[in-house]
Amino acid sequence: MAEHLKSCSDTWFGGENQKITQRILNLEEYKQARSILAYLNMPKEVSLDDVIRHALAAGKRVYVPVCTEQKGIMIAVRLHSLEAVVCRGAYQIREPAEQTETAAEHELDLLLIPGVAFDRQGRRLGHGAGYYDRFLSSVSGGRYAAAAWDFQVVDTVPAEENDIPVDQIITERCVYKRHMR
C-alpha cells in the first residue's frame, strides 16, 4: 500500500481527489448533515479541503479532529475557516489555530474518516494509534464514511474487537456501502 501511494503523482491525486469530493457532496448523508467532522489530510491522503469549503459556505458546522496532549485522546474542534489552520498538531497534522469550541458526542451528523486500508465490510486499518476508534466509540447517531483511494479497498482488513467500522467508503471509482448499523 505504501509503495503504491509513493508511486502516484501529485497530478493523479489532484484529479482523482476531485472525483471523491463530488461523490461526497452528492451523498444524501452530506446534504442532510447540519454538522460534519472532516479530517485535515496528511500527505497522500484524500484531501477534504474542498468539502470543508463547501460545507462552510453552505452554513454547516464543520469540526476537525485534534489529537490532544493526553495520549490517545482525540476531540472534534470547530473550524470556521481553512485560513485559520496551522500545522502544529500531533504527527504534524494541520489544526485550527483556535481550539475553544468542541462538538458534543451527539452533535455530529456525518463523520469523514481517513485510513490506510479498508474492506467492503467497512473495517478500517488506521495508523495504529487507535485515536479514531476511541473517539467513534463515544459518538452517537452520526454516519461514518471513509474517504479513500480505490486501491486502498482490499479484500480483508484485520479487525479487533474495539474497531469501529464505517458505513460507506467513498473512492474515485464508486461508493462502497455496508449494511447500516
Side-chain angles (χ1 to χ4, degrees):
M1 192 71 58
E3 289 304 314
H4 195 100
L5 281 168
K6 286 179 189 175
S7 72
C8 295
S9 71
D10 289 341
T11 303
W12 182 87
F13 280 120
E16 300 304 293
N17 206 114
Q18 284 306 311
K19 294 175 186 175
I20 296 170
T21 295
Q22 276 311 123
R23 288 188 193 286
I24 292 170
L25 298 181
N26 289 329
L27 288 175
E28 200 57 40
E29 294 88 346
Y30 173 79
K31 291 175 184 177
Q32 292 179 8
R34 292 164 300 173
S35 63
I36 65 169
L37 175 85
Y39 65 88
L40 296 168
N41 66 296
M42 296 194 308
K44 308 287 185 177
E45 283 183 335
V46 173
S47 171
L48 298 179
D49 287 6
D50 287 341
V51 172
I52 291 169
R53 283 185 192 94
H54 183 276
L56 290 169
K60 296 178 188 292
R61 292 184 313 275
V62 176
Y63 296 87
V64 295
V66 173
C67 299
T68 67
E69 291 178 10
Q70 186 178 358
K71 185 162 174 53
I73 303 298
M74 187 174 85
I75 58 174
V77 174
R78 180 94 183 253
L79 181 69
H80 295 280
S81 163
L82 277 173
E83 286 69 40
V85 167
V86 295
C87 184
R88 69 157 188 235
Y91 310 105
Q92 294 305 301
I93 299 171
R94 297 175 295 156
E95 293 183 354
E98 187 169 317
Q99 300 183 8
T100 55
E101 191 177 344
T102 59
E105 294 84 8
H106 64 278
E107 239 181 306
L108 300 168
D109 300 317
L110 176 65
L111 295 89
L112 298 167
I113 301 165
V116 175
F118 303 87
D119 65 25
R120 290 190 176 123
Q121 290 73 45
R123 292 185 293 253
R124 172 185 164 275
L125 180 65
H127 291 280
Y131 283 98
Y132 276 91
D133 289 315
R134 279 188 290 283
F135 179 78
L136 295 176
S137 70
S138 69
V139 173
S140 60
R143 289 287 170 213
Y144 308 150
W149 311 115
D150 200 69
F151 64 80
Q152 291 178 282
V153 181
V154 298
D155 290 335
T156 305
V157 167
E160 296 180 9
E161 191 175 310
N162 61 333
D163 289 347
I164 309 275
V166 297
D167 300 310
Q168 51 194 329
I169 306 159
I170 299 101
T171 75
E172 71 278 12
R173 293 182 66 200
C174 65
V175 176
Y176 299 94
K177 293 190 176 209
R178 74 170 189 95
H179 67 281
M180 300 306 266
R181 43 183 172 92

